[in-house]
Amino acid sequence: MRRLVRPFIVLAALVILLETWIWERVGPIIARLVELLPLKAVKQAIHDGIQRLPPYATLAVFAIPAILLFPFKLAALALIARGHLILGGGVFFLAKVVGVGSAAFLFDACKPKLMQIPLFVWAYEHWLRWLAWAHGHIDPIKERIRRVTRILSGGRPNRALRLLMRFRRSRRERMRPASAPTGA
């Protein structure tokens, strides 16, 4: 049973880590892009508006990117349904990246208010636990992949070749009948 469930656990962990990776990488980029916009008065008005909102109303701020990007995600699914897998996948991925990046930017602006909501604090703590859980499942796999690629990569080709030759020799020895001569 555990072997059947393991791929789903790894997939769930990968989704959590992918979301977090996008959040950590794209959020600062969106923040820099917003800083580059020449609309300083508009940005200040948005920031002040968020600061004036009560804690529960700041949750509604996160619905704005989701609502704005939902039509793009539907269009991406329609493209995929019509057989345009690459274009649809690209549109969906772009909408996902923009959505997660926008949420990361908004979260930084709203976090002090959101941490006043007990249910949000509970959910945030659980998210951090899930993130640690995901790292616990994926980090050993990443380490195994790193170890194998390190052996096979350019820095140590002789060792990889020696391991391959040793494997082939041991395989041949196991396949050879016991009465056969060993000189050939």
Side-chain angles (χ1 to χ4, degrees), residues 18-19 22-23 26-27 30 62-80 86-104:
L18 178 66
E19 289 282 332
I22 293 172
W23 182 284
V26 178
I30 300 256
F62 287 103
I64 295 169
I67 291 168
L68 293 176
L69 293 171
F70 188 69
F72 292 101
K73 291 180 180 179
L74 285 178
L77 291 175
L79 285 169
I80 291 170
I86 295 173
L87 181 60
V91 170
F92 192 83
F93 181 75
L94 184 62
K96 186 71 175 165
V97 167
V98 170
V100 171
S102 301

Side-chain angles (χ1 to χ4, degrees), residues 59-132:
L59 285 173
V61 172
F62 287 103
I64 295 169
I67 291 168
L68 293 176
L69 293 171
F70 188 69
F72 292 101
K73 291 180 180 179
L74 285 178
L77 291 175
L79 285 169
I80 291 170
R82 291 195 175 118
H84 303 287
L85 296 175
I86 295 173
L87 181 60
V91 170
F92 192 83
F93 181 75
L94 184 62
K96 186 71 175 165
V97 167
V98 170
V100 171
S102 301
F105 171 71
L106 290 172
F107 180 74
D108 287 340
C110 299
K111 187 176 179 182
K113 293 273 185 167
L114 293 173
M115 295 309 264
Q116 297 173 11
I117 303 171
L119 182 61
F120 185 85
V121 172
W122 177 85
Y124 184 68
E125 289 171 354
H126 275 74
W127 174 257
L128 293 177
R129 283 191 207 121
W130 287 339
L131 188 59

Side-chain angles (χ1 to χ4, degrees), residues 143-155:
E143 184 54 38
R144 275 186 262 154
I145 291 170
R146 279 192 195 114
R147 204 173 27 234
V148 168
T149 55
R150 211 177 299 131
I151 290 171
L152 298 176
S153 68

Side-chain angles (χ1 to χ4, degrees), residues 40-50 52:
K40 187 173 184 174
V42 173
K43 292 188 294 186
Q44 188 62 42
I46 291 171
H47 186 268
D48 292 343
I50 289 173
R52 282 192 303 262

